[in-house]
Amino acid sequence: MPLSEHEQRMLEQMERALYAEDPKFASALEGSGLRTYTRRRVYQAVAGFLVGIALLMAGMVAKQVWLSVVGFLVMLGCAVLAVTGWRKAPKPGEQTGAPLHARHQGRARRSVMDRIEQRWQRRRDEQQGH
């Protein structure tokens, strides 16, 4: 569920205040949280891949084709998760420069939201003028 305009503005103000008060602490929180999350996701995917191998082998030993297929699908899914998590992980010391919530929004979406907000402001101003 996306944040409302008011909530986004409040979040941006809090982030700016945090950066102004203690930029070192704010950048440490920003980078390490994402880095820890992606590292944990990659480790979970590797563990899932190993479980998939075990299922594949168990299916071959028990001559249960469906179990081997499930093991292969688990391996494939975990491999995709591991690769995408590895690519998204920021390098140690790398900073994106964007606030946490702004990374999830594309540039095009941001411009659309800006236009909508400008139109809303114009309508509100016109209604107050009459």
Side-chain angles (χ1 to χ4, degrees):
M1 181 174 177
L3 297 175
S4 70
E5 292 295 319
H6 176 70
E7 292 169 333
Q8 286 180 356
R9 278 190 236 118
M10 293 290 289
L11 183 59
E12 287 173 0
Q13 287 175 356
M14 289 188 299
E15 286 178 350
R16 276 189 241 120
L18 179 62
Y19 276 108
E21 187 175 313
D22 194 356
K24 186 177 178 181
F25 176 69
S27 62
L29 280 180
E30 181 177 332
S32 67
L34 182 61
R35 193 169 44 247
T36 302
Y37 169 75
T38 53
R39 186 180 305 141
R40 186 179 322 127
R41 182 175 167 186
V42 169
Y43 290 151
Q44 290 172 348
V46 168
F49 187 83
L50 295 175
V51 168
I53 289 175
L55 287 173
L56 181 74
M57 298 303 274
M60 291 173 65
V61 169
K63 295 185 181 179
Q64 298 289 327
V65 175
W66 66 271
L67 189 59
S68 296
V69 170
V70 168
F72 176 76
L73 292 176
V74 168
M75 287 171 49
L76 182 65
C78 289
V80 168
L81 284 176
V83 169
T84 57
W86 189 263
R87 287 183 182 171
K88 289 180 182 179
K91 309 293 183 263
E94 177 184 345
Q95 290 191 8
T96 59
L100 292 173
H101 71 279
R103 280 189 229 134
H104 299 293
Q105 296 176 343
R107 187 176 290 247
R109 182 177 173 139
R110 180 59 99 169
S111 63
V112 169
M113 292 304 292
D114 288 341
R115 286 185 296 197
I116 291 172
E117 187 174 345
Q118 288 173 356
R119 289 178 188 165
W120 181 259
Q121 287 291 75
R122 270 188 264 139
R123 288 181 186 156
R124 195 177 337 164
D125 292 343
E126 289 173 0
Q127 288 177 353
Q128 287 177 355
H130 285 49

